[in-house]
Amino acid sequence: MTAPDPPDFDLAHRTERVTNISPASDAFVLFTLFTLFFTLACFALWMWFIWRKGRNLCAEEQFEATLDQISTQPVARLADDSASEEDQTSAPWEKPADWWKK
């Protein structure tokens, strides 16, 4: 019994032969690469939005500090203070603002 002959691969013949790769396989590769790069770009854009929002937190803190500097007195009291000045300059026929409380 003899061993079977090893397969004979003709490498030179393969390199000389022109292969007919279908355009569909090229389109599949291009579509896959486009999808990969589009997904990476979406993640990069998402991370940029997160980084930008993190940077703008300082602006929000500055806004809160500005709000703290504003008078904490209620608006009604501010109006009462200005109303007392207006009472002195009101015309004789005008009633005071709190006439109905009396």
Side-chain angles (χ1 to χ4, degrees):
M1 203 168 185
T2 61
D5 293 335
D8 185 21
F9 294 111
D10 189 8
L11 296 178
H13 180 68
R14 284 187 180 177
T15 56
E16 292 173 0
R17 184 175 58 179
V18 176
T19 58
N20 292 329
I21 298 176
S22 68
S25 64
D26 290 340
F28 175 75
V29 170
L30 291 175
F31 178 75
T32 305
L33 285 174
F34 171 77
T35 304
L36 174 71
F37 288 125
F38 179 75
T39 305
L40 290 175
C42 287
F43 277 114
L45 184 65
W46 185 31
M47 295 306 292
W48 179 72
F49 281 136
I50 291 172
W51 173 77
R52 187 172 161 212
K53 184 173 176 74
R55 262 183 82 212
N56 286 344
L57 286 179
C58 295
E60 291 176 5
E61 290 171 358
Q62 290 175 354
F63 178 70
E64 288 175 1
T66 306
L67 287 178
D68 291 340
Q69 292 175 357
I70 295 175
S71 176
T72 57
Q73 195 174 25
V75 177
R77 290 190 182 207
L78 292 175
D80 289 344
D81 293 343
S82 62
S84 63
E85 294 173 3
E86 290 177 4
D87 288 341
Q88 297 170 357
T89 59
S90 62
W93 63 85
E94 293 180 350
K95 292 184 179 179
D98 58 349
W99 64 269
W100 55 274
K101 290 183 182 178
K102 295 179 181 177

